[in-house]
Amino acid sequence: MANLYMERLNDYWIIHMKDARLNGVSVELADFIKRSAKQGRVRYVPEYEALSIESEEELLSVSLSVVDIKDWLWKKENRLARVCRIMQQKY
């Protein structure tokens, strides 16, 4: 992507993005990105599972702790494992 730049500072990833639409984004991931955004406007459109990033003249800057990313992925994986166990029990 021409409008994306990432850098790592210690244990944080900084993502700079200008005006983008990301399709196929889950509600959970959209909320995570919205909470992490430092500049710009992030809007989730559930009908299209799309994340709209509008940053006008400023780049959208998101600061994500490596620990936060790992925690989010761990929770997501555990939630998926629980759903799989429930589905196995039902069928």
Side-chain angles (χ1 to χ4, degrees), residues 56-88:
E56 296 175 10
E57 294 176 16
E58 293 290 325
L59 289 175
L60 172 76
S61 295
V62 177
S63 176
L64 303 173
S65 161
V66 172
V67 173
D68 289 342
I69 293 169
K70 286 180 182 177
D71 287 348
W72 184 83
L73 289 172
W74 183 81
K75 288 175 188 172
K76 186 80 169 166
E77 182 179 309
N78 282 340
R79 190 177 307 132
L80 181 60
R82 274 197 310 272
V83 168
C84 289
R85 281 194 303 272
I86 291 168
M87 295 304 286
Q88 286 176 347

Side-chain angles (χ1 to χ4, degrees), residues 12-87:
Y12 281 86
W13 277 100
I14 307 297
I15 304 168
H16 304 281
M17 184 179 294
K18 183 165 176 57
D19 295 339
R21 180 175 170 174
L22 307 174
N23 296 316
V25 176
S26 70
V27 174
E28 294 89 357
L29 180 57
D31 288 341
F32 181 72
I33 292 172
K34 286 169 77 172
R35 283 193 314 271
S36 302
K38 302 296 180 194
Q39 298 173 2
R41 186 177 129 189
V42 179
R43 187 171 54 94
Y44 185 68
V45 183
E47 303 89 82
Y48 302 106
E49 293 184 338
L51 188 66
S52 173
I53 297 170
E54 300 169 9
S55 50
E56 296 175 10
E57 294 176 16
E58 293 290 325
L59 289 175
L60 172 76
S61 295
V62 177
S63 176
L64 303 173
S65 161
V66 172
V67 173
D68 289 342
I69 293 169
K70 286 180 182 177
D71 287 348
W72 184 83
L73 289 172
W74 183 81
K75 288 175 188 172
K76 186 80 169 166
E77 182 179 309
N78 282 340
R79 190 177 307 132
L80 181 60
R82 274 197 310 272
V83 168
C84 289
R85 281 194 303 272
I86 291 168
M87 295 304 286

